[in-house]
Amino acid sequence: MSKSHYAGSLAAAVLAALVLATFTAGCTGTEAAQSGVGETNTVTDGFGRTVAVPSPPESVVCSGSGCLRYLVYLQGQDLVVGVDDIEKKDQAIEGRPYALAYGAQFKGLPLIGEFRGKDDPEKILGIGPEVIFKTGSSGTAYATSAAEADKLQERTGIPVVAFAYGSLRNDAEKAEMYEGLRVMGRVIGKEERAEEVIAYIEATIADLETRTGDIPEDERKTVYVGGVSYAGAHGIISTEPAYPPFLWVNAENVAAGLGTAHADVAKEALVDWDPEYLFIDVGTIQTESDGAIGELKNDPALKGLTAVKEGRVYGVLPYNFYSTNYETVLANAYFIGKTLYPDRFEDIDPKEKADEIYTFFIGKPVFSEHNSQYRDLGFGKIPL
């Protein structure tokens, strides 16, 4: 069986299993309160709060890092009647695929407050949405809470449905992410789409892991990703010890095991590790002298790295931009897999695969537009 056929069969199998599980479980966490005109549902949100919401709502707003992205994933962007200020700004470099796809639509909407969940209850009241969604990245200064959701609901009289944003770094944070998608799906009547998104993520990760899972440990490539965006652009020392694409393609991350989601490592450590391959988050170009790229060109110690001397330095697209752009995480993984183990990804064109992924998540193939924001440095060798 060919790799492409196997991957397609695997994706279909995972999708079928997850969708079947959803229909078997029914509408857990949602209870119809009344029927007919003005029907409402009682929903349990991600913090265990019981919230009565219109079923389905005709207008919503999204507060907090990444909240609007989830609504786009669930194909609910036309329900939005107000946005926070980051959606109305003209970014010098736009790193959010959903904003590339729908930015013009969102910029024309009324303002609900500042970004990262700094809501203006009076502005929200003036807009009058039927539901407020509120989220934030758990474990950060921008996380939200049940108390914040209660406070906003009390001040506006509008149902507030809140949840943690989650991540794909580990099973616990992935469960948070999936619960957030499911909660939002229940509220807007997109339960099936939520399960499709979850199934697509699971099938994609399974495909990546299956392609590379049998590579012996002593044949796995050693890798490092630098310049990782984290509340802004950074230089070479900025990395993720649990960088998901490395985990999925069974590469040996030399920075693994540091015990944090994000880390700044000593340059001396990077020199000592001397990975076979360097990947650079091209969001780094927003810093002085092109950040990590300039450092690799000009720092004598870094110029001595094997990957630099032998031309194995590659660009990946930044995915930390107003929280995680999950579609970019998955797209990066295919490019990294193709770069490290081309024989395992011979059926994959990473750029075409990226557009397939973007189209599934946000409805539009925006790879070229996204990459052009970063001088087309993504998915190729970095010239040094």
Side-chain angles (χ1 to χ4, degrees):
M1 182 181 291
S2 69
K3 290 187 178 70
S4 58
H5 182 75
Y6 179 83
S9 299
L10 179 62
V14 174
L15 175 60
L18 284 177
V19 171
L20 177 60
T22 302
F23 288 130
T24 302
C27 50
T28 303
T30 307
E31 181 181 347
Q34 62 184 61
S35 60
V37 178
E39 181 180 348
T40 63
N41 277 347
T42 299
V43 178
T44 302
D45 75 3
F47 294 103
R49 299 168 59 253
T50 300
V51 187
V53 297
S55 178
E58 295 182 356
S59 60
V60 305
V61 297
C62 290
S63 165
S65 304
C67 188
L68 185 54
R69 179 181 298 112
Y70 274 20
L71 199 69
V72 171
Y73 288 175
L74 298 186
Q75 301 171 341
Q77 62 270 11
D78 290 341
L79 296 174
V80 181
V81 292
V83 294
D84 64 24
D85 64 353
I86 198 171
E87 308 298 345
K88 298 178 74 66
K89 291 178 180 177
D90 290 322
Q91 305 278 357
I93 294 180
E94 178 53 77
R96 298 166 298 157
Y98 79 88
L100 292 174
Y102 302 104
Q105 173 183 335
F106 296 149
K107 278 183 172 66
L109 295 175
L111 186 67
I112 66 168
E114 298 179 32
F115 76 133
R116 292 175 177 160
K118 298 175 184 177
D119 310 301
D120 186 326
E122 291 186 3
K123 284 185 170 62
I124 294 175
L125 272 171
I127 298 167
E130 292 183 288
V131 174
I132 301 168
F133 288 112
K134 190 169 181 63
T135 191
S137 299
S138 51
T140 72
Y142 313 117
T144 193
S145 66
E148 289 180 353
D150 287 339
K151 182 178 179 181
L152 182 58
Q153 186 164 302
E154 289 168 5
R155 294 186 66 181
T156 61
I158 298 169
V160 175
V161 177
F163 47 87
Y165 192 74
S167 84
L168 293 177
R169 284 188 296 265
N170 55 59
D171 288 342
E173 293 186 19
K174 187 160 65 171
E176 284 186 335
M177 174 194 176
Y178 291 173
E179 177 61 15
L181 288 167
R182 286 178 169 131
V183 166
M184 183 178 276
R186 290 172 196 142
V187 173
I188 66 171
K190 293 282 190 176
E191 297 99 326
E192 185 174 346
R193 172 61 182 175
E195 295 303 326
E196 288 174 355
V197 172
I198 291 166
Y200 187 93
I201 293 170
E202 288 292 305
T204 301
I205 295 172
D207 178 43
L208 290 161
E209 292 177 337
T210 299
R211 288 171 182 267
T212 58
D214 64 343
I215 297 174
E217 287 192 16
D218 61 354
E219 295 180 17
R220 295 178 180 181
K221 307 299 185 182
T222 59
V223 295
Y224 174 83
V225 60
V228 173
S229 301
Y230 185 79
H234 294 271
I236 191 70
I237 67 172
S238 177
T239 193
E240 286 189 8
Y243 191 66
F246 289 166
L247 297 174
W248 298 332
V249 301
N250 291 285
E252 294 294 331
N253 185 350
V254 295
L258 296 181
T260 57
H262 175 266
D264 287 337
V265 302
K267 286 185 181 179
E268 293 78 7
L270 178 55
V271 172
D272 184 54
W273 291 331
D274 196 22
E276 297 171 272
Y277 289 78
L278 284 175
F279 292 91
I280 302 301
D281 179 323
V282 296
T284 196
I285 67 171
Q286 296 172 87
T287 63
E288 185 177 357
S289 301
D290 281 351
I293 297 173
E295 292 174 84
L296 292 174
K297 288 180 178 179
N298 301 312
D299 188 307
L302 296 178
K303 287 169 69 175
L305 289 168
T306 300
V308 175
K309 292 188 295 184
E310 297 185 3
R312 293 193 297 271
V313 181
Y314 298 85
V316 290
L317 291 171
Y319 61 69
N320 293 323
F321 197 120
Y322 207 36
S323 213
T324 305
N325 294 277
Y326 293 112
E327 64 280 15
T328 300
V329 181
L330 298 171
N332 278 346
Y334 278 96
F335 170 69
I336 291 169
K338 178 84 171 187
T339 301
L340 300 178
Y341 309 114
D343 60 317
R344 303 299 180 102
F345 290 83
E346 58 188 4
D347 59 312
I348 296 294
D349 179 314
K351 295 179 181 180
E352 290 180 2
K353 187 66 175 179
D355 268 338
E356 173 194 306
I357 292 168
Y358 286 131
T359 299
F360 175 81
F361 277 95
I362 63 172
K364 298 182 181 180
V366 298
F367 173 79
S368 293
E369 184 179 2
H370 189 22
N371 199 20
S372 71
Q373 300 281 305
Y374 301 94
R375 305 203 304 258
D376 294 318
L377 290 170
F379 288 25
K381 282 190 175 183
I382 297 288
L384 296 176

